[in-house]
Amino acid sequence: MTTPLDIPVAEIAAGVRIGKLSALDIVSLALARVESLQPQLRAFISVDADRAMNLARKIDEQRAAGREIGALAGVPVAVKDNMCTTFGATTCGSKILAPFHAQEAAHVVDQLESAGAIVIGKTNLDEFAMGSSTENSAFFTTANPWDVSRVAGGSSGGSTAAVAARLIPGALGSDTGGSIREPASFCGIVGLKPTYGRVSRYGLVAYGSSLDQIGPIARTARDAALLLSVIAGHDPRDSTSANEPAPDYVAALDRPIRGLRIGVSEEYFGAGLNHEVQATVRAAIAAIESQGATVLPIHLPHMKYGIACYYLIATAEASSNLARFDGVHYGHRTPRPADIIDLYSSTRGEGFGAEVKRRIMLGTFALSSGYYDAYYLKALKVRTLIKSDFESAFRDVDVIASPVAPTIAFPIGEKSDDPLAMYLADIYTVSANLAGIPAISIPCGFDASGLPVGMQLMGNYFAEDRLLNIAHQYQQVTDWHNHMPALG
Ligand code: GLN
């Protein structure tokens, strides 16, 4: 049976606009579905049902009174719990922030709600977005809706599981090294990391500030385009936000893709890539080719240094960003500290989990005076080389196609004791963050056991419209995005 949660964002909003659907009914349905599936999926850290129902009631009243309602009016959505909201707590999946109540909402939350969307709650993540499975959350691990014994991916796994399980039609995640794209791929949905600066980071708790970017998560490219149109644009409160008007992403979806040049780099299909993932992604590239695009070989010689470069820069920035959690400014403070040093060290020792501590130590080491030149500075130079690889590739091709992750969703616990194996699996996603270019993950098939596989398309700066256009055209001739996990 189809419920309003099975229909796209645009249709929900259109239905609410003409009074065919009631915002209150849809939001109540979403809340009921979140509650009934939370024990299995653990997608949400918090839900504010009363607030969501009140907002929905208001939208129905405004419509009935003939007042203007926004482009996303009545659409229930959720945001990753590293984005500030003025309702409820913002935890970042960490014990150190408890209890932190933000004074202001993140820019993206304001944008969504000004357009009439209703943020029903905050989704689970790896602590401070550090991880690829939500296993580093201080609270619980989100399960994959396609197989609840497996991870949903991470760090935005709560948002992707919620959308894949049709609890909500759209959500936001953040992506520093793949955290929107990898869980989107593991959950069989669309996830877009925009160009660095395309979406304001105001109110996003920083992990790696030169890499972090917020983006939409949805079942279709059309819905992702609609969400991006609402959140993209300049925000003077984020000094890295691009002062460049956002185009109409929805209008760009219908452009023909005939004649587009798709670059394929064999560096993305090397050792370690699961055979079924490889075959599925290659078949998806062939499908785009049969829609009239041309596939061309390209070379990205420095992409093999991506992991080393990312784990130096991201941890260096994290060690600096996370210095603010000191027991004085925010959240947790150790009871009865002996002195000021004990206040800092006990607060941080009690509040941070193992992975966050590991990264603070790695980053502090890379920035320390004896090693700065050898590690941090070197990583910055390699970052420039990775960026110039992409710049020269985009002289010859319009987009680059690759896998998103080397494997399908792995079993919960499989890699949790092996941080290095977890890091290495970010091989295909981190380069886009290092270069600052946009990249999308699109569902492109299933492996023999029925688990989803994603394809990544990377584009030139501010070419989100092109990525969404190709993804949309691909979804016109395939139906991977219509498959549904068999949940209650
Ligand atoms: N998996 C990567 C990491 O652990 C990416 C995380 C992210 O994008 N936030 O750092």
Short mmCIF file of all heavy atoms in Angstrom, two decimals, residues 80 128-132 154-155 174-180 207 310-311 314 359 423 426 433, ligand 1:
data_model
loop_
_atom_site.label_atom_id
_atom_site.label_comp_id
_atom_site.label_asym_id
_atom_site.label_seq_id
_atom_site.Cartn_x
_atom_site.Cartn_y
_atom_site.Cartn_z
N LYS A 80 20.93 15.74 10.47
CA LYS A 80 21.97 15.05 11.24
C LYS A 80 22.20 15.83 12.53
O LYS A 80 22.18 17.08 12.52
CB LYS A 80 23.21 15.02 10.35
CG LYS A 80 24.41 14.28 10.87
CD LYS A 80 25.49 14.30 9.76
CE LYS A 80 26.76 13.60 10.13
NZ LYS A 80 27.75 13.58 9.02
N PHE A 128 30.96 13.36 16.34
CA PHE A 128 31.53 14.50 15.62
C PHE A 128 31.77 14.20 14.13
O PHE A 128 32.66 14.75 13.51
CB PHE A 128 32.81 15.00 16.29
CG PHE A 128 32.52 15.76 17.56
CD1 PHE A 128 32.69 15.14 18.79
CD2 PHE A 128 32.03 17.05 17.53
CE1 PHE A 128 32.38 15.81 19.97
CE2 PHE A 128 31.72 17.73 18.69
CZ PHE A 128 31.89 17.11 19.92
N ALA A 129 30.97 13.27 13.59
CA ALA A 129 31.04 12.91 12.16
C ALA A 129 32.32 12.18 11.79
O ALA A 129 32.72 12.16 10.63
CB ALA A 129 30.82 14.13 11.26
N MET A 130 32.97 11.58 12.79
CA MET A 130 34.22 10.87 12.53
C MET A 130 33.96 9.37 12.42
O MET A 130 33.92 8.67 13.44
CB MET A 130 35.23 11.15 13.64
CG MET A 130 35.59 12.61 13.71
SD MET A 130 36.68 12.92 15.08
CE MET A 130 36.71 14.70 15.06
N GLY A 131 33.79 8.92 11.20
CA GLY A 131 33.57 7.50 11.00
C GLY A 131 32.77 7.23 9.75
O GLY A 131 32.38 8.15 9.02
N SER A 132 32.52 5.94 9.50
CA SER A 132 31.87 5.52 8.26
C SER A 132 30.76 4.52 8.53
O SER A 132 30.36 3.79 7.63
CB SER A 132 32.91 4.85 7.36
OG SER A 132 34.07 5.65 7.25
N GLY A 154 28.16 5.72 7.26
CA GLY A 154 28.31 6.89 8.13
C GLY A 154 29.22 7.91 7.50
O GLY A 154 29.79 7.68 6.44
N SER A 155 29.31 9.06 8.09
CA SER A 155 28.74 9.25 9.39
C SER A 155 27.27 9.67 9.38
O SER A 155 26.62 9.63 10.42
CB SER A 155 29.55 10.31 10.14
OG SER A 155 29.52 11.54 9.45
N SER A 174 26.05 15.74 6.52
CA SER A 174 27.26 16.53 6.26
C SER A 174 28.33 15.57 5.76
O SER A 174 28.30 14.37 6.08
CB SER A 174 27.72 17.26 7.52
OG SER A 174 28.16 16.32 8.49
N ASP A 175 29.24 16.11 4.95
CA ASP A 175 30.22 15.27 4.27
C ASP A 175 31.58 15.96 4.33
O ASP A 175 31.76 17.04 3.77
CB ASP A 175 29.74 15.09 2.82
CG ASP A 175 30.52 14.05 2.03
OD1 ASP A 175 31.77 14.12 2.05
OD2 ASP A 175 29.89 13.21 1.37
N THR A 176 32.51 15.32 5.04
CA THR A 176 33.86 15.84 5.20
C THR A 176 34.83 15.01 4.37
O THR A 176 35.84 15.50 3.88
CB THR A 176 34.25 15.80 6.69
OG1 THR A 176 33.24 16.51 7.43
CG2 THR A 176 35.60 16.45 6.97
N GLY A 177 34.48 13.70 4.25
CA GLY A 177 35.32 12.80 3.46
C GLY A 177 34.49 11.69 2.83
O GLY A 177 35.03 10.67 2.40
N GLY A 178 33.17 11.88 2.82
CA GLY A 178 32.31 10.86 2.21
C GLY A 178 31.05 10.58 3.01
O GLY A 178 30.25 9.70 2.66
N SER A 179 30.84 11.32 4.08
CA SER A 179 29.78 10.99 5.04
C SER A 179 28.35 11.14 4.56
O SER A 179 27.43 10.71 5.25
CB SER A 179 29.95 11.81 6.31
OG SER A 179 30.88 11.18 7.14
N ILE A 180 28.14 11.76 3.40
CA ILE A 180 26.80 11.72 2.81
C ILE A 180 26.76 10.59 1.78
O ILE A 180 25.82 9.79 1.73
CB ILE A 180 26.46 13.06 2.11
CG1 ILE A 180 26.27 14.18 3.15
CG2 ILE A 180 25.23 12.92 1.22
CD1 ILE A 180 26.02 15.56 2.56
N TYR A 207 34.01 19.81 12.01
CA TYR A 207 34.93 18.68 12.16
C TYR A 207 36.22 19.09 11.44
O TYR A 207 37.20 19.45 12.09
CB TYR A 207 34.27 17.42 11.61
CG TYR A 207 35.18 16.30 11.18
CD1 TYR A 207 36.47 16.17 11.68
CD2 TYR A 207 34.74 15.33 10.28
CE1 TYR A 207 37.30 15.13 11.28
CE2 TYR A 207 35.56 14.28 9.88
CZ TYR A 207 36.84 14.20 10.37
OH TYR A 207 37.64 13.17 9.95
N TYR A 310 44.04 13.16 3.40
CA TYR A 310 42.80 13.47 4.14
C TYR A 310 42.98 13.23 5.64
O TYR A 310 42.56 14.06 6.45
CB TYR A 310 41.64 12.60 3.59
CG TYR A 310 40.41 12.65 4.47
CD1 TYR A 310 39.51 13.72 4.38
CD2 TYR A 310 40.14 11.65 5.40
CE1 TYR A 310 38.38 13.78 5.20
CE2 TYR A 310 39.02 11.70 6.23
CZ TYR A 310 38.15 12.77 6.12
OH TYR A 310 37.05 12.84 6.94
N TYR A 311 43.56 12.10 6.02
CA TYR A 311 43.64 11.79 7.45
C TYR A 311 44.68 12.64 8.18
O TYR A 311 44.70 12.66 9.40
CB TYR A 311 43.81 10.27 7.69
CG TYR A 311 42.43 9.61 7.66
CD1 TYR A 311 41.94 9.02 6.49
CD2 TYR A 311 41.58 9.67 8.76
CE1 TYR A 311 40.66 8.48 6.44
CE2 TYR A 311 40.30 9.15 8.72
CZ TYR A 311 39.84 8.55 7.57
OH TYR A 311 38.57 8.03 7.52
N ALA A 314 42.28 16.36 7.92
CA ALA A 314 41.03 16.30 8.70
C ALA A 314 41.35 16.20 10.20
O ALA A 314 40.71 16.87 11.01
CB ALA A 314 40.18 15.12 8.25
N ARG A 359 41.83 10.72 16.87
CA ARG A 359 42.01 11.75 15.84
C ARG A 359 42.59 13.04 16.42
O ARG A 359 43.38 13.72 15.77
CB ARG A 359 40.69 12.00 15.13
CG ARG A 359 40.28 10.78 14.33
CD ARG A 359 39.15 11.07 13.40
NE ARG A 359 38.69 9.82 12.82
CZ ARG A 359 38.04 9.73 11.68
NH1 ARG A 359 37.77 10.81 10.99
NH2 ARG A 359 37.64 8.57 11.21
N TYR A 423 39.42 3.49 7.61
CA TYR A 423 39.94 4.68 6.90
C TYR A 423 40.14 4.38 5.41
O TYR A 423 39.80 5.18 4.55
CB TYR A 423 41.29 5.15 7.47
CG TYR A 423 41.30 5.63 8.92
CD1 TYR A 423 42.51 5.96 9.54
CD2 TYR A 423 40.13 5.77 9.66
CE1 TYR A 423 42.55 6.40 10.85
CE2 TYR A 423 40.17 6.20 10.98
CZ TYR A 423 41.38 6.52 11.58
OH TYR A 423 41.42 6.95 12.89
N ASP A 426 37.58 4.80 2.62
CA ASP A 426 37.17 6.14 2.16
C ASP A 426 37.89 6.56 0.87
O ASP A 426 37.78 7.70 0.43
CB ASP A 426 37.48 7.20 3.23
CG ASP A 426 36.68 6.99 4.50
OD1 ASP A 426 35.56 6.45 4.42
OD2 ASP A 426 37.16 7.39 5.58
N ASN A 433 36.40 16.02 -1.46
CA ASN A 433 36.46 17.01 -0.37
C ASN A 433 37.78 17.76 -0.41
O ASN A 433 37.83 18.97 -0.17
CB ASN A 433 36.30 16.33 0.98
CG ASN A 433 35.00 15.56 1.09
OD1 ASN A 433 34.89 14.47 0.52
ND2 ASN A 433 34.03 16.11 1.78
N1 GLN B 1 34.63 8.34 6.89
C1 GLN B 1 35.34 9.59 6.89
C2 GLN B 1 35.95 9.83 8.26
O1 GLN B 1 35.84 8.97 9.05
C3 GLN B 1 34.44 10.70 6.47
C4 GLN B 1 33.66 11.32 7.57
C5 GLN B 1 32.83 12.48 7.12
O2 GLN B 1 32.69 12.75 5.93
N2 GLN B 1 32.33 13.22 8.09
O3 GLN B 1 36.51 10.84 8.54
#
